[in-house]
Amino acid sequence: MIDMQIALLADAHDADGCLSRIAGLAGRARSAGTPVVHLRQRLDAYPVPAELRDIHPAVAPRPGDAVLDKDSADSFLGSGLGDLLRGRAVRRLVVTGFATEYCVDSTARAALSLGHDLVLVSDGHTTPVRPVGVVPTAAQVVEHHNTTFATIQYPGRSIRVTPAARVRFD
């Protein structure tokens, strides 16, 4: 779960729907014994009040969840994510979060390059709403990335793009 922080979601496309779907997905993962990892962008360089840097309450970490801070769009870079996944023998990543064309894209591609299988939750990632008339729209950005990951190939990797309701943890 990438950068689902209050400040970042303030102007996100379909934020409430995305939060609801990710919360349900995280609950199902926990029930199945699947690790839930929250990645949190450090916002120290920005004038963001501390309380808005927190992960949104709708998807807040629960006991047993991991929370890792990061400074890059690539959630693996300098966060300890790779070590955590290796330590838990995680092979397949279910990716959700903010922002589609930055952190979600960078993390998904890094995961594939590092040998992980990928499930991109098609309705579980979002990006900022653009001003009226700016193209592509946020919805188009999300759709573009869903289409890209549905057709991209990494040898020896499984890549699925699926809605949250169809993600299985068995």
Side-chain angles (χ1 to χ4, degrees):
M1 188 181 314
I2 303 166
D3 300 344
M4 295 302 286
Q5 293 158 263
I6 298 166
L8 300 176
L9 295 172
D11 65 347
H13 166 72
D14 188 29
D16 290 339
C18 194
L19 282 162
S20 176
R21 290 183 291 272
I22 292 173
L25 190 65
R28 292 193 347 257
R30 290 180 193 105
S31 293
T34 300
V36 174
V37 179
H38 300 263
L39 293 140
R40 184 173 52 195
Q41 185 70 37
R42 285 191 184 97
L43 299 172
D44 299 336
Y46 304 96
V48 177
E51 66 275 8
L52 297 181
R53 296 174 191 207
D54 290 339
I55 295 169
H56 195 284
V59 293
R62 303 284 192 268
D65 291 358
V67 180
L68 303 174
D69 291 316
K70 65 186 192 65
D71 295 305
S72 169
D74 176 352
S75 295
F76 287 88
L77 187 60
S79 69
L81 178 60
D83 292 337
L84 184 144
L85 297 175
R86 276 188 297 282
R88 295 184 182 188
V90 173
R91 169 103 174 113
R92 179 180 74 138
L93 299 185
V94 177
V95 175
T96 64
F98 180 89
T100 298
E101 69 276 38
Y102 300 111
C103 300
V104 172
D105 180 85
S106 296
T107 300
R109 290 175 192 267
L112 290 164
S113 292
L114 292 169
H116 296 280
D117 292 330
L118 174 71
V119 176
L120 178 63
V121 181
S122 61
D123 56 357
H125 59 97
T126 186
T127 197
V129 172
R130 275 57 171 173
V132 174
V134 172
V135 177
T137 66
Q140 289 170 329
V141 169
V142 169
E143 183 57 32
H144 168 78
H145 281 76
N146 287 340
T147 301
T148 298
F149 278 96
T151 58
I152 200 168
Q153 297 196 10
Y154 279 68
R157 311 292 186 278
S158 167
I159 304 169
R160 291 187 28 233
V161 178
T162 188
R166 296 186 64 198
V167 174
R168 296 180 52 186
F169 294 100
D170 53 1

